[in-house]
C-alpha cells in the first residue's frame, strides 16, 4: 500500500506492508540504503517487508527527500533533512527502526523503541565508496574528477549517477551511526556483530538482485528481536 508522510519540508511517499489495523502492535520503520545501494537493495528490502507481513508485523519504507518520487531535487538533498524526515515518518505506535547499510546514519533523531542495523558503515566509508566508483569511471574514459573537490565550494558533484551536494558529502563523511541494540552482518565481515548471515553483499552487485533465503532469515531475526 502506498501512503504519504509529512515532514517540515513537505510530504513524501512511503510503502506500507502488513497489518496496520491494530494501532497498539509494533511496526518496523525501515531506513533504506543510500544512493545506488538503495536501487540494488530495493528488491531484498521489499522482500523483508513481505516476510515480516507474513509474520504479522507491519512495516514502512519511506522515501527520503530528494530520492525516488520526491519533489525535492536530488542535488538539494541534505543529511539533516533526511534525518528530520525519517524522524517524522515514525508513526504514533510502538516503532522499531531497521536500518540497512547507510540508513544507519539516518535514524539518529527518530523516537523509536529500538534500533536494528544491517551492515552499518561509517559515513566516511560510504563517501569513500562513492568516490571510488567515480574514479573507476574516470579510468574508463569518464570526466576528470579530483576527490579534493568535495571540500571546496562549488556545484553538486556527479557520483553514482546522482548530482550530490558537497554539503551532503561533507556531512556524510563526518557521520556515524548511533549504537544499535542489534547489529547483523554477512559472513566474512569481521566487524562486531550480534549475528552473521550467509549471503552476498547485494549492495555491491553490478545490478539489483534478490536473495529470498537471506531476506527470510533477516525477517525472522527482526521478528525474534522485537518479540
Amino acid at each position: 500500500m502506498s501512503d504519504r508522510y509529512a515532514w517540515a519540508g513537505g510530504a513524501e511517499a512511503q510503502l506500507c506492508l502488513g497489518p496496520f489495523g491494530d494501532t497498539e502492535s509494533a511496526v518496523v520503520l525501515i531506513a533504506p540504503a543510500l544512493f545506488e545501494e538503495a536501487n540494488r537493495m530495493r528488491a531484498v528490502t521489499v522482500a523483508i517487508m513481505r516476510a515480516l507481513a507474513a509474520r504479522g508485523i507491519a512495516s514502512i519504507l519511506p522515501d527520503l527527500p530528494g530520492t525516488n518520487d520526491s519533489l525535492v531535487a536530488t542535488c538539494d538533498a541534505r543529511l539533516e533533512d533526511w534525518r528530520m524526515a525519517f524522524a517524522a515518518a515514525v508513526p504514533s505506535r510502538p516503532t522499531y527502526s531497521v536500518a540497512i547499510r547507510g540508513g544507519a546514519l539516518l535514524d539518529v533523531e527518530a523516537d523509536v523503541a529500538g534500533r536494528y542495523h544491517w551492515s552499518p558503515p561509517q559515513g566516511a566509508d560510504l563517501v569513500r565508496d562513492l568516490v571510488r566508483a567515480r574514479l573507476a569511471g574516470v579510468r574508463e574514459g569518464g570526466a576528470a574528477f579530483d576527490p579534493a573537490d568535495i571540500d571546496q565550494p562549488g556545484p553538486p558533484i556527479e557520483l553514482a549517477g546522482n548530482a550530490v551536494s558537497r554539503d551532503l558529502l561533507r556531512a556524510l563523511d563526518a557521520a556515524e551511526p548511533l549504537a544499535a541494540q542489534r547489529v547483523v552482518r554477512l559472513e566474512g565481515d569481521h566487524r562486531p556483530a550480534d549475528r552473521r548471515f550467509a549471503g552476498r553483499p547485494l549492495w555491491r552487485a553490478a545490478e539489483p538482485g534478490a536473495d529470498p533465503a537471506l531476506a527470510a532469515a533477516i525477517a525472522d531475526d527482526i521478528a525474534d528481536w522485537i518479540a
Side-chain angles (χ1 to χ4, degrees), residues 40-114:
R40 297 173 185 142
M41 297 292 288
R42 180 80 179 189
V44 74
T45 301
V46 174
I48 290 170
M49 295 175 70
R50 294 190 186 282
L52 287 172
R55 292 156 176 77
I57 299 174
S59 60
I60 301 170
L61 176 61
D63 280 357
L64 302 173
T67 70
N68 297 327
D69 295 326
S70 173
L71 297 180
V72 177
T74 301
C75 61
D76 291 332
R78 298 291 185 273
L79 180 59
E80 58 267 31
D81 288 344
W82 283 352
R83 289 174 169 175
M84 188 187 310
F86 186 79
V90 176
S92 56
R93 57 193 290 181
T95 303
Y96 294 84
S97 168
V98 171
I100 300 174
R101 291 285 295 156
L105 305 171
L106 308 183
D107 71 351
V108 299
E109 298 176 6
D111 183 11
V112 293

Side-chain angles (χ1 to χ4, degrees), residues 131-210:
V131 168
R132 187 180 297 119
R134 174 62 190 272
L135 291 174
V138 171
R139 290 193 295 271
E140 295 173 3
F145 171 68
D146 182 353
D149 288 346
I150 291 174
D151 294 322
Q152 306 300 321
I157 296 175
E158 189 78 17
L159 292 173
N162 298 287
V164 185
S165 118
R166 298 174 197 229
D167 288 344
L168 174 56
L169 290 170
R170 288 192 290 267
L172 283 172
D173 193 55
E176 296 183 0
L178 285 181
Q181 284 78 14
R182 188 162 181 81
V183 175
V184 301
R185 300 185 186 275
L186 298 183
E187 293 177 353
D189 185 341
H190 301 297
R191 289 172 293 180
D194 297 296
R195 185 177 176 185
R196 303 182 196 280
F197 294 95
R200 58 192 178 93
L202 296 171
W203 55 88
R204 299 198 186 283
E207 299 290 340

